[in-house]
Amino acid sequence: MMFLRGLRVGKEMVIGGGTGARFYAGRTGSGRAGEKKVVVTLTNDFDGLGTWTSLYGDKARQGNVSRGEFGEVGVRRLLDLYDSLGLRGQTTFFVPTQTCEHFPDAVRSIAERGHEVGQHGDSHEMTADVSEVEEHRIVRAGMEAIESLTGKPPVGYRSPAQSFGNHTLRVLEENGFLYDSSLMNRDFELEYARHDKVLPGGGYDFGPRSSVVEIPVSWHLDDFPKREFIQGVNPSTQTTAQVVEGWREEFDYLYYRVGSGVFNLTTHPQTVGRGALLTRYEEFVQYMRSLPGVEFRRCGDVAVAYDMGFSVAGQQRADAVPVADHIAISLLSPEDKEAIGFVADRACREFVDREPMTNAMGCTYQEIYDLFYQTTRVGADHQLTLVARDTRSGEIVSAFIQTDFGRESEALGDLDVSPRVFPILEAVEILEEKYRASLEERGVRLAPGVVQHQFVVFTASHFGGRGLAKALYSAAEQQARRLKYRYQMSEPTGSITQHISMNRLKFDCLFEVNYKDYFCNHHNRHVFADIPAPPSCLCVEKDLGTATENP
């Protein structure tokens, strides 16, 4: 059980005959062209009708609302365009709940072509103006709507019209979001968003960092304010050449002067999907693709890499390596009962906070804690569980519970737990039986020393996103290789974050079990039938005989 959470012409760059950004042509800053590393995130806000119904309220009329309906046409054109450019499955769409309800087939088609779908409010409302309770409801409803159409819960969020309130970040953290893309305090750099507050009377409070990665946005890199006429609000519009020229000037500054960073471009299917701008957009994307060192990724991929401690250039970030300074990774001793209890408590809280299954089972904290204490104790007995300590304080700031899969059944065979915990134990046993059958089909005899079974990673909030999870995975792999294990196996949730993370760590997904389909014999019902996303569990494996060691 693992519960985690344009074209080049001579020396000038030209697009459609435009002249903008030639100032930067040929200027390579501090490095050569081959050393450039720019990641482009093409984001598409599929606002649908919400932009107009939210803007005009009771004065909304079919004439202006129909502009949002054109977004469905724009989505079809964008998906075909991305296919033709070799960018299938490499962009991100942010979608409000109302758009999921109005245009479900369009949202499904986005996911079916591999693009990421992020959350974008309910009906493009100003979320900064609602209460924290209401914003929780809006975000949860959007997560469930997206998961119902795509099969995966969203891991990214963009507030409608960048209406990011004092409690928005807390809502995102509590709902397990990996990243946000709403703020403008950077242009090409990622960071962890802060819990800032706008104070009455014009004051501002800079708060502590969160665990949510911020992928910055800018109105300069947005098509809507430049092209959409709104009477009394946005009376003038730019030509398509002016729109794209401005984008290219920003991109060229990043590419030629900065050399490395994330270029986060925002478009709206109802805007960029119209013929003239779509043609310019295609030329601009072709231009960026023509340059060495430029690649296109979904926002979720970029955020996962950052959260694992990597820079855009693929190097370990200097600010993400506390391990080298004052963090020591060691085995959890079976004699250290206090540390076992602490690890079990933190793992339990991580599970209870993030897994909707506990609510479905009606379990108390103590009932889940009893399960994790016994699991942690077995991991310590097997001399496989790793802990990371802050050497300055002695505090355990992260842990990785592991057991020997070949010895696990005997050690965990007589768990002393509440009957209310049985559903999850039975469900996981089904998955593990399938895994044992998979080993047998490959001619592998399960015995001690063959499979290292990974359960839980947790990291203290004040060390979140600092590369500790990656360090523990690396330490676990080195440990497994030293002890001659052939496989590492784990069972993360089926969220897009886990798919991305395990793929990056070179784990292969063998199969997936949907909890909603599981019938619990003990409770005589489908215990998890009504749980929200994520409803599934993956079985992932790394073959240490074929996989190269993680850096």
Side-chain angles (χ1 to χ4, degrees):
M1 299 180 294
M2 180 181 183
F3 308 111
L4 299 176
R5 284 214 325 160
L7 302 173
R8 178 180 293 273
V9 180
K11 293 184 178 180
E12 295 182 337
M13 310 301 164
V14 299
I15 299 178
T19 59
R22 290 181 181 176
F23 176 77
Y24 299 115
R27 301 192 179 203
T28 59
S30 60
R32 297 183 300 274
E35 297 175 339
K36 305 297 184 184
K37 185 64 174 180
V38 172
V39 173
V40 177
T41 50
L42 300 177
T43 65
N44 315 268
D45 291 2
F46 186 14
D47 297 341
L49 312 185
T51 300
W52 309 103
T53 56
S54 176
L55 177 65
Y56 287 103
D58 293 339
K59 296 182 179 179
R61 298 293 182 266
Q62 290 187 31
N64 47 49
V65 174
S66 64
R67 295 163 70 174
E69 185 179 352
F70 184 79
E72 184 182 25
V73 178
V75 166
R76 292 199 302 268
R77 292 178 177 177
L78 282 171
L79 293 178
D80 289 344
L81 173 63
Y82 293 143
D83 281 358
S84 70
L85 293 173
L87 296 178
R88 187 184 183 97
Q90 296 183 47
T91 79
T92 299
F93 286 74
F94 291 101
V95 183
T97 304
Q98 190 181 83
T99 299
C100 291
E101 296 168 350
H102 290 157
F103 309 107
D105 290 341
V107 177
R108 288 191 193 95
S109 67
I110 292 168
E112 287 168 356
R113 299 211 203 180
H115 300 278
E116 179 188 359
V117 180
Q119 219 276 310
H120 196 40
D122 183 11
S123 58
H124 213 267
E125 65 289 315
M126 296 293 100
T127 51
D129 298 333
V130 305
S131 69
E132 184 169 353
V133 171
E134 176 63 8
E135 189 163 17
H136 263 292
R137 185 201 65 78
I138 289 171
V139 168
R140 289 300 308 173
M143 294 173 68
E144 291 169 7
I146 289 171
E147 194 271 338
S148 69
L149 295 176
T150 69
K152 299 294 177 186
V155 298
Y157 175 82
R158 174 171 288 167
S159 58
Q162 281 70 59
S163 179
F164 198 92
N166 284 349
H167 41 65
T168 300
L169 187 55
R170 185 163 57 248
V171 170
L172 297 183
E173 278 198 305
E174 291 177 1
N175 283 283
F177 278 85
L178 170 67
Y179 75 90
D180 170 71
S181 184
S182 307
L183 304 177
M184 307 185 192
N185 53 322
R186 295 290 185 271
D187 50 6
F188 311 125
E189 305 170 35
L190 306 187
E191 61 178 5
Y192 287 98
R194 295 189 308 261
H195 286 281
D196 294 359
K197 289 185 178 180
V198 178
L199 304 176
Y204 196 85
D205 179 24
F206 291 95
R209 295 287 177 185
S210 70
S211 61
V212 177
V213 178
E214 183 62 36
I215 304 177
V217 295
S218 170
W219 291 119
H220 302 293
L221 297 177
D222 192 314
D223 61 346
F224 192 91
K226 299 174 183 292
R227 288 290 294 169
E228 293 294 346
F229 169 78
I230 304 175
Q231 189 171 9
V233 178
N234 192 31
S236 62
T237 60
Q238 297 182 8
T239 66
T240 57
Q242 289 172 324
V243 172
V244 175
E245 185 171 321
W247 292 347
R248 200 186 73 181
E249 288 175 342
E250 293 284 345
F251 174 82
D252 282 354
Y253 182 86
L254 166 60
Y255 188 81
Y256 290 106
R257 289 295 188 91
V258 181
S260 178
V262 175
F263 185 75
N264 189 27
L265 183 65
T266 302
T267 63
H268 298 72
Q270 62 181 282
T271 304
V272 77
R274 295 191 180 272
L277 184 55
L278 189 63
T279 301
R280 294 277 186 176
Y281 179 63
E282 178 180 8
E283 292 170 346
F284 178 52
V285 173
Q286 288 175 327
Y287 161 65
M288 292 188 288
R289 291 184 69 233
S290 73
L291 299 174
V294 175
E295 59 181 272
F296 293 76
R297 295 187 199 166
R298 301 175 299 184
C299 288
D301 299 322
V302 173
V304 165
Y306 185 86
D307 197 47
M308 292 177 67
F310 292 104
S311 69
V312 172
Q315 304 299 317
Q316 189 78 38
R317 299 195 323 276
D319 68 339
V321 198
V323 179
D325 299 329
H326 50 266
I327 299 296
I329 297 176
S330 61
L331 288 172
L332 177 61
S333 168
E335 283 76 41
D336 194 342
K337 299 296 191 288
E338 181 178 353
I340 292 174
F342 178 82
V343 171
D345 171 74
R346 289 304 311 275
C348 172
R349 294 183 186 278
E350 184 85 3
F351 179 58
V352 171
D353 288 346
R354 295 186 179 275
E355 290 291 347
M357 293 177 290
T358 54
N359 292 327
M361 294 185 294
C363 295
T364 65
Y365 161 82
Q366 187 62 47
E367 288 169 331
I368 298 296
Y369 173 80
D370 290 343
L371 169 64
F372 277 107
Y373 182 85
Q374 293 173 76
T375 304
T376 306
R377 189 196 63 216
V378 170
D381 289 341
H382 289 183
Q383 290 287 281
L384 291 175
T385 291
L386 299 171
V387 293
R389 296 179 187 268
D390 186 335
T391 57
R392 300 168 301 181
S393 64
E395 175 191 9
I396 295 176
V397 295
S398 192
F400 202 174
I401 303 173
Q402 301 180 109
T403 64
D404 185 312
F405 194 61
R407 300 164 57 196
E408 183 181 300
S409 295
E410 179 180 353
L412 294 175
D414 296 317
L415 282 173
D416 182 16
V417 296
S418 164
R420 280 199 288 254
V421 180
F422 287 0
I424 195 166
L425 295 180
E426 291 181 15
V428 171
E429 182 61 27
I430 291 173
L431 185 145
E432 293 179 356
E433 285 177 359
K434 291 186 66 174
Y435 179 64
R436 293 187 190 96
S438 170
L439 291 174
E440 292 176 4
E441 290 172 0
R442 289 176 280 166
V444 178
R445 178 178 173 272
L446 181 59
V450 177
V451 179
Q452 183 192 61
H453 189 186
Q454 302 176 341
F455 282 74
V456 176
V457 171
F458 80 81
T459 299
S461 60
H462 54 294
F463 278 94
R466 302 280 294 179
L468 274 179
K470 175 180 175 294
L472 282 167
Y473 269 104
S474 179
E477 181 173 337
Q478 293 173 22
Q479 174 196 57
R481 291 181 183 277
R482 184 176 66 254
L483 296 174
K484 308 300 183 184
Y485 279 90
R486 175 63 190 274
Y487 301 101
Q488 290 178 304
M489 186 273 284
S490 186
E491 297 129 327
T493 57
S495 69
I496 185 174
T497 314
Q498 294 299 337
H499 277 282
I500 295 170
S501 297
M502 304 315 293
N503 181 64
R504 186 174 293 278
L505 291 165
K506 299 182 174 63
F507 279 77
D508 296 318
C509 181
L510 301 183
F511 49 83
E512 187 169 2
V513 171
N514 193 317
Y515 283 127
K516 291 186 177 182
D517 296 334
Y518 161 66
F519 185 86
C520 176
N521 292 321
H522 184 80
H523 285 239
N524 198 35
R525 63 186 177 90
H526 287 84
V527 177
F528 306 124
D530 298 322
I531 65 171
S536 61
C537 187
L538 310 175
C539 180
V540 299
E541 178 192 76
K542 179 184 285 188
D543 186 338
L544 299 177
T546 60
T548 56
E549 190 168 353
N550 280 324

